[in-house]
Structure formats: C-alpha cells, structure tokens
Amino acid sequence: MVLIAPSILSANFARLAEDIQRVEQAGADWLHIDVMDGHFVPNLTIGPLVVRDIKKETGLLLDVHLMIEKPENLIPAFIAAGADLITVHAETCPHLHRTLTMVKEAGRQAGVSLNPSTPVAMVENVIGEVDLVLAMTVNPGFGGQKFIHSVLPKISALRAMIARSGSGAHLQVDGGINVETGKLAVDCGADVLVAGSFIFAAADVGQAIRDLKNIAACPLLQPFGLQ
Ligand code: DX5
Ligand code: ZN
C-alpha cells in the first residue's frame, strides 16, 4: 500500500487550516511539513509555532521535513510542537546517529533524507535505527520542480538496503511527484509519496489523492519516458 503525504508548501498559507482539512477529508495519510532555513536551502518557510497550531487543526500524522542546518538545535521545539515524524538531512548531520537518537528518545519517529546527489552509503550505518528514509527527487528548496529521473536507481538501492537490514522503515520520495513519476518511484520500492503542487493545484484534490493511491494497483500504466 502506498501512503500519500500532501506537502503544505503548495497550500495557501493564508488559509492553511482550510487547505489541511481539505486534504484530510480527501483521504491523505500524512501531512508533510517543509521547514526551510535560508541556509541549507535557499528559501524560508515555517517554524515550530506554526506546527504547534497545525497540530490543533488535524488528526493527520505530522511528517516534518527539516531542511535546516544544525537540526539538533530545533528538534526539541518541533517535538514540543507535536511533530510525529522528524526527518533530517544526512548532509546537515555530522553526528547523524546522535541526532536521530534525540528524536527516538523523545518517542517520535525518526527519518533521514538524502539529496539527489548524495550517495546511499551516507545512511548505511543508521538504516536499522530509522523509521523512514527519504530520497529527494528534486534539489530541496522549492515546490513545483521537475522530477530528477537519475534518482530512480538510488531508490531501488535504498529499498534493497532496507530489506537487507530487516527493518520495516518506510521509503519516501519527495519532489516532482505526479501519477507518472510516482509510479516510477513506487516500482523502484517507494511506499510514501509526498506531493505538493500535484495535489494543491488540482481542480479536484480528492481525485488527485485517489489517483496517486491507485498507482500501486495500476500495472497497465507505462513508465513515462522509458518505453
Ligand atoms: C521541496 C520540498 C517538497 C515540495 C514538493 O524542497 O521538500 O516537499 O513541497 O513539492 P512538489 O510536489 O510540488 O515538487
Ligand atoms: Zn519535503
């Protein structure tokens, strides 16, 4: 089964609660929250105070994607705000095991993310400790970018690494996900699809979520651009 995590980066921030309720009612599984610091990525978004208020508006699992330097400084605040799953970038964590342990010891789920050009070996030694691995399929920082196809073999390699470790970790993809690219990622072993613009720009949000959920059950769809 594929889980769908709408990214609120593409929501209307002036009507955030309304947009969140829309995707929740439409069958979203998780809510993906993109935190950017203007340093690790060239954009600024939201902080723990917004997460705290989102928590009051939804029962969805809050999947907090930290695209920030020194994430260990802010992890306690995101935990206090009600984040259920916190994903850090391996590129920002010289003491990755320690950072993930901070999250786990607080009783929350911990994820680790890799940029498109970061090798899978970066997560090999923590694969047994994490609840989720995130393979970025765009360079993080903005919604609405184009899916990077060269990440596909990495998704397969991460799926194999998770299987070898015997862990039940999720394999999430994020960036440029639509029905075609989502299908390619799921075929390589992804089981959580983050989608921002595909969902929030759709005329029918519910249909967009159902289309993504149906990917796994749709063997007739030809891999886009790979025939
Ligand atoms: C990119 C973010 C993504 C982004 C995805 O840095 O991590 O979560 O919102 O947006 P789309 O689906 O539009 O590529
Ligand atoms: Zn994200």
Side-chain angles (χ1 to χ4, degrees):
M1 189 176 110
V2 177
L3 300 177
I4 309 303
S7 162
I8 59 165
L9 192 60
S10 293
N12 180 342
F13 278 23
R15 296 177 184 275
L16 198 47
E18 241 172 73
D19 275 4
I20 290 170
Q21 277 145 19
R22 224 150 48 94
V23 293
E24 183 165 13
Q25 280 159 17
D29 297 292
W30 296 358
L31 194 70
H32 186 82
I33 302 176
D34 287 307
V35 176
M36 305 187 185
D37 65 351
H39 293 275
F40 177 59
V41 292
N43 200 359
L44 272 176
T45 54
I46 63 180
L49 296 180
V50 178
V51 174
R52 180 196 66 190
D53 288 348
I54 289 174
K55 189 74 182 175
K56 298 175 197 147
E57 301 291 331
T58 179
L60 290 173
L61 178 147
L62 300 189
D63 162 23
V64 177
H65 178 193
L66 297 183
M67 287 160 277
I68 61 176
E69 287 178 3
K70 300 194 192 313
E72 60 282 359
N73 291 348
L74 280 170
I75 282 172
F78 282 104
I79 286 169
D84 297 291
L85 161 64
I86 296 181
T87 298
V88 295
H89 270 260
E91 301 87 355
T92 64
C93 296
H95 307 291
L96 182 56
H97 181 271
R98 179 185 289 156
T99 307
L100 294 168
T101 302
M102 266 178 96
V103 178
K104 298 294 288 180
E105 282 181 349
R108 308 301 163 89
Q109 296 186 59
V112 62
S113 178
L114 296 174
N115 280 343
S117 63
T118 304
V120 297
M122 287 283 282
V123 296
E124 194 140 30
N125 290 303
V126 294
I127 202 87
E129 323 282 333
V130 295
D131 300 287
L132 175 141
V133 180
L134 166 54
M136 288 305 298
T137 42
V138 297
N139 293 297
F142 303 94
Q145 302 183 81
K146 210 167 153 312
F147 183 88
I148 300 174
H149 284 73
S150 58
V151 179
L152 288 170
K154 212 166 88 174
I155 299 170
S156 304
L158 287 168
R159 173 49 72 199
M161 193 188 282
I162 291 169
R164 273 199 307 277
S165 77
S167 101
H170 288 291
L171 179 51
Q172 184 178 56
V173 286
D174 181 9
I177 298 295
N178 55 36
V179 175
E180 288 81 22
T181 56
K183 168 76 178 155
L184 295 175
V186 167
D187 284 349
C188 291
D191 67 340
V192 185
L193 302 177
V194 175
S197 48
F198 179 74
I199 290 176
F200 284 102
D204 183 343
V205 162
Q207 191 58 49
I209 292 175
R210 281 192 297 280
D211 287 347
L212 288 174
K213 274 188 186 266
N214 283 334
I215 277 177
C218 182
L220 291 179
L221 188 65
Q222 288 299 314
F224 179 72
L226 287 185
Q227 287 103 324

